[in-house]
């Protein structure tokens, strides 16, 4: 087999792949994004700029609030690739055929993985609205979860930054509401909904259906009425809980609240009760206020779908360009990077003489992180 790659120019392939990846991403365009310009390896910690937040202070003479120093650390723990071989016929493909038959499917696979990792961040969101096990089906479900965000002082000034991700069942229910799909109720947008089967912007949200919306399996704790087993200082990430009688488990994504303050928390690790107590329960976010020994703790356990309402800055997707080492050593390689979106992808093309075959690899290195859980809320389903 010849090792001439014809139209398979790695620069063209990488740039086209980057554009296709951007087009098929689900949640990724709707969260904060950043990248680290230095090549990293899986497991590295990178710093990206945090979305700016300001505080109004007494004038005159307050300290300057620096935009450049607010950075967040994200672990690059996701290194994913798509690799496949090329036969003689495929080596002669036109660029349009390359995009349609190879680049688009590969980017869909990578985008689907990124989307699955992002939707799994529901486990870090303690706020919720709705009834578990009941598919949202009314306008009040949308306005209700919007109220949760409003009460949490989520910025509402830019509707482009507010999103509501729903599953297929919720979309089907909402699409049946006349206010969404009729000319009388929704004007031209209602006609678009009928034609496209999508909802679009309604009641303060950009509503989109996502096939990767997750379902939660709750813990089996026999009671949600617990007590703090010890006093805990502000800022801790692990607490102990007990009760006069409790058995079962707590699962990541179960939520709780302490009687002394209103901040809600999620459980971050699986814990099994022993001796009527849950020991070393991880919580997120960090404890917002001191908790006294025997303070009442209320745990909510909800099964079901985790539709998600959120502001763009609730979470971040961080990427880093992979190393170009190896370029010129039997492989053609190119890294495409978009400084505006933070997306980056590497393409490697090589010939394997042992197997008499040409190969192409697309790979990405990324990590995700919840920045502020109070900028999101679950719409239970």
């Amino acid at each position: 087999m010849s090792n001439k790659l014809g139209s398979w120019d790695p620069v063209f392939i990488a740039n086209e792949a980057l554009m296709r990846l951007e087009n098929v991403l689900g949640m990724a365009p709707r969260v904060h994004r950043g990248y680290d310009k230095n090549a990293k390896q899986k497991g590295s910690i990178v710093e990206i700029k945090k979305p700016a937040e300001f505080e109004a202070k007494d004038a005159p003479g307050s300290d300057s609030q620096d935009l450049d120093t607010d950075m967040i650390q994200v672990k690059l723990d996701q290194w994913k690739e798509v690799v496949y071989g090329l036969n003689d016929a495929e080596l002669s493909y036109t660029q349009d055929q390359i995009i349609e038959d190879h680049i688009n499917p590969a980017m869909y696979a990578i985008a689907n993985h990124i989307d699955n990792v992002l939707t799994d961040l529901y486990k870090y969101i303690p706020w919720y609205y709705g009834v578990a096990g009941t598919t949202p089906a009314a306008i009040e479900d949308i306005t209700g979860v919007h109220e949760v965000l409003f009460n949490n002082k989520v910025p509402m000034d830019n509707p482009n930054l507010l999103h509501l991700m729903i599953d297929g069942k919720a979309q089907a229910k909402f699409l049946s509401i006349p206010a969404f799909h009729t000319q009388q109720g929704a004007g031209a947008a209602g006609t678009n909904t009928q034609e496209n089967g999508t909802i679009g912007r309604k009641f303060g949200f950009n509503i989109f259906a996502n096939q990767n919306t997750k379902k939660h399996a709750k813990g089996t704790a026999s009671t949600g009425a617990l007590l703090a087993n010890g006093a805990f200082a502000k800022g801790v990430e692990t607490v102990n809980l007990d009760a006069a009688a409790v058995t079962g488990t707590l699962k990541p994504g179960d939520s709780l609240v302490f009687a002394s303050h209103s901040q809600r928390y999620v459980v971050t690790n699986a814990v099994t009760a022993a001796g009527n107590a849950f020991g070393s329960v991880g919580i997120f976010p960090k404890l917002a206020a001191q908790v006294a020994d025997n303070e009442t703790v209320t745990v909510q356990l909800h099964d079901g779908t985790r539709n998600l309402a959120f502001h763009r800055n609730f979470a971040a997707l961080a990427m880093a360009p992979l190393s170009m080492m190896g370029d010129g050593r039997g492989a053609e390689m190119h890294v495409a990077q978009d400084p505006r979106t933070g997306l980056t992808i590497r393409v490697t093309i090589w010939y394997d003489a042992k197997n008499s075959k040409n190969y192409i690899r697309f790979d990405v290195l990324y990590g995700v992180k919840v920045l502020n859980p109070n900028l999101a809320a679950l719409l239970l389903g």
Side-chain angles (χ1 to χ4, degrees), residues 51-318:
E53 295 180 1
F54 296 103
E55 178 185 356
K57 299 182 179 181
D58 291 335
S62 66
D63 295 333
S64 173
Q65 300 175 53
D66 196 341
L67 280 174
D68 297 328
T69 57
D70 285 339
M71 305 292 287
I72 55 174
Q73 292 187 333
V74 181
K75 185 176 182 180
L76 300 176
D77 56 0
Q78 302 291 330
W79 186 6
K80 298 299 172 182
E81 67 179 8
V82 173
V83 183
Y84 51 81
L86 303 170
N87 59 38
D88 285 326
E90 289 166 326
L91 288 176
S92 62
Y93 273 8
T94 64
Q95 291 183 345
D96 287 343
Q97 284 178 298
I98 292 170
I99 293 170
E100 183 67 25
D101 293 356
H102 292 278
I103 297 179
N104 284 345
M107 291 310 97
Y108 183 85
I110 290 174
N112 192 60
H113 188 274
I114 294 173
D115 198 54
N116 265 296
V117 174
L118 283 168
T119 56
D120 211 40
L121 293 179
Y122 84 84
K123 295 176 182 176
Y124 295 90
I125 306 304
W127 304 94
Y128 65 90
Y129 179 85
V131 179
T134 302
T135 301
I139 292 174
E140 288 76 10
D141 292 310
I142 300 174
T143 57
V145 76
H146 190 277
E147 182 182 11
V148 175
L149 298 187
F150 184 89
N151 290 340
N152 277 348
K153 297 181 171 54
V154 173
M156 299 283 179
D157 58 308
N158 187 347
N160 293 319
L161 304 182
L162 294 174
H163 304 277
L164 175 58
M165 180 190 74
I166 56 177
D167 71 343
K169 287 185 177 181
Q171 177 176 247
K173 292 288 188 180
F174 289 143
L175 285 173
S176 69
I177 299 175
F180 287 178
H181 70 254
T182 63
Q183 178 74 24
Q184 295 84 355
T191 302
N192 291 335
T193 293
Q194 291 181 39
E195 293 177 349
N196 303 322
T198 56
I199 297 173
R201 184 177 296 176
K202 295 290 183 183
F203 300 101
F205 289 116
N206 297 289
I207 304 175
F208 69 103
N210 192 329
Q211 293 171 322
N212 292 322
T213 302
K214 296 294 190 295
K215 290 188 176 181
H216 180 68
K218 66 182 180 180
T220 60
S222 58
T223 179
L226 303 175
L227 300 172
N229 186 6
F232 300 98
K234 177 181 178 180
V236 304
E237 299 178 86
T238 303
V239 297
N240 300 317
L241 308 174
D242 64 5
V246 62
T247 58
T249 62
L250 296 176
K251 297 285 188 67
D254 293 337
S255 67
L256 57 89
V257 63
F258 296 91
S260 61
H261 58 283
S262 61
Q263 175 65 54
R264 295 192 60 82
Y265 303 89
V266 287
V267 176
T268 59
N269 59 325
V271 188
T272 300
N276 296 317
F278 291 105
S280 299
V281 179
I283 60 170
F284 182 81
K286 296 178 181 179
L287 201 58
Q290 181 178 346
V291 168
D293 185 25
N294 288 324
E295 183 173 317
T296 299
V297 183
T298 303
V299 175
Q300 273 80 31
L301 304 175
H302 300 296
D303 271 329
T305 303
R306 292 304 190 250
N307 305 296
L308 182 64
F310 60 94
H311 184 280
R312 180 180 188 269
N313 293 342
F314 100 96
L317 165 66

